[in-house]
Amino acid sequence: MNALVHAPGFGLFLTLGAYLGAGELHRRLGRPALLAPVLVAMVVVAVALEVLGIGYDEYLASVSVLTLLLGPATVALALPLLRSGRALLADRGAVLLALLATGAVSVAVTVAALELWGASDALVLTTLPRSVTTPVALTLGQTIGASTTLAVVLTLVSGVLGATVGPWLLDRVRVVDPRARGFAIGMVSHGIGTSRALAESDTAGGWSSAAMVLNALAMTVVLPVVARAFH
């Protein structure tokens, strides 16, 4: 049993099995937001690693193929963006305003909350990239001197929470326009949220993809400037 648990492909098998099982559970229960497959799979994998005594480095090595596919998968999310290109250009004023306002609020709330709680400058730096997609968060984390491992974890948590709770909150405040829903989800929960928005409609997915890409570009410029105050 111990040899099986520590076999090179066990982590990959565990991850795929957890996600497929979570997806089937999600479908059978009527797709409730709080049981999003990504969230359930994360919990299952985390508990399994703890119970079986598998270290994070060992797990990461066993799922290296998934890590390699992360970049192409993120690029593939740009396809809905291409389909929504004309609509985005038509509403470029509103898109730019929403991008600037949402980005400013995200950074300001993150910094203010952590400063209020007395967090260290290192933790503030590590938290800053949480609103961008994972491949960009990795690069930004290295650029601004953050803990890249923790930055990626916070990015994934942000994405899962946004994809899980975001649509529910938008329903509560009666946001029904797929463009607004998609853009909001993409801004706060990047790739994970975009896959969730695509499940609603191609329009929501396209606008979510646009928000993810534009936010990543903007934060690549803004965050290194903000980070200078904490070095």
Side-chain angles (χ1 to χ4, degrees), residues 142-160:
Q142 294 170 348
T143 301
I144 65 179
S147 169
T148 53
T149 301
L150 183 55
V152 169
V153 171
L154 292 174
T155 299
L156 290 173
V157 170
S158 178
V160 170

Side-chain angles (χ1 to χ4, degrees), residues 72-155:
T74 303
V75 172
L77 291 174
L79 293 176
L81 169 61
L82 296 177
R83 299 191 189 104
S84 303
R86 290 184 178 179
L88 287 166
L89 287 174
D91 293 323
R92 56 186 176 275
V95 168
L96 180 60
L97 180 60
L99 177 69
L100 294 175
T102 308
V105 169
S106 175
V107 173
V109 168
T110 299
V111 173
L114 291 176
E115 287 292 311
L116 182 63
W117 292 336
S120 65
D121 289 350
L123 182 58
V124 175
L125 287 173
T126 301
T127 308
L128 284 177
R130 66 174 179 77
S131 64
V132 298
T133 190
T134 305
V136 179
L138 269 171
T139 304
L140 270 177
Q142 294 170 348
T143 301
I144 65 179
S147 169
T148 53
T149 301
L150 183 55
V152 169
V153 171
L154 292 174
T155 299

Side-chain angles (χ1 to χ4, degrees), residues 192-227:
I192 297 175
T194 297
S195 64
R196 174 66 177 81
L198 280 168
E200 292 191 1
S201 69
D202 286 343
T203 300
W207 282 72
S208 181
S209 180
M212 177 185 69
V213 172
L214 294 173
N215 186 50
L217 291 173
M219 290 301 172
T220 300
V221 176
V222 172
L223 291 188
V225 177
V226 175

Side-chain angles (χ1 to χ4, degrees), residues 6 12 16 21 33 36 67 80 103 111 124 144 176 178 187 204-205 222-223 227 231:
H6 295 285
L12 180 61
L16 293 177
T67 305
V111 173
V124 175
I144 65 179
V176 296
M187 280 294 296
V222 172
L223 291 188
H231 280 292

Side-chain angles (χ1 to χ4, degrees), residues 164-188:
T164 303
V165 181
W168 180 83
L169 287 175
L170 292 171
D171 289 340
R172 300 287 81 75
V173 296
R174 299 180 181 178
V175 176
V176 296
D177 190 320
R179 298 171 300 174
R181 290 178 67 89
F183 201 88
I185 294 172
M187 280 294 296
V188 300

Side-chain angles (χ1 to χ4, degrees), residues 3-80:
L4 175 63
V5 167
H6 295 285
F10 181 79
L12 180 61
F13 173 79
L14 173 64
T15 303
L16 293 177
Y19 183 77
L20 292 174
E24 181 63 19
L25 177 67
H26 189 243
R27 185 186 66 80
R28 287 178 177 270
L29 296 180
R31 305 184 185 279
L34 294 178
L35 289 179
V38 174
L39 177 60
V40 174
M42 282 181 61
V43 173
V44 171
V45 170
V47 171
L49 295 181
E50 184 67 24
V51 171
L52 297 173
I54 302 174
Y56 176 73
D57 290 338
E58 180 183 351
Y59 169 73
L60 190 61
S62 69
V63 295
S64 58
V65 63
L66 295 180
T67 305
L68 290 173
L69 292 173
L70 183 61
T74 303
V75 172
L77 291 174
L79 293 176

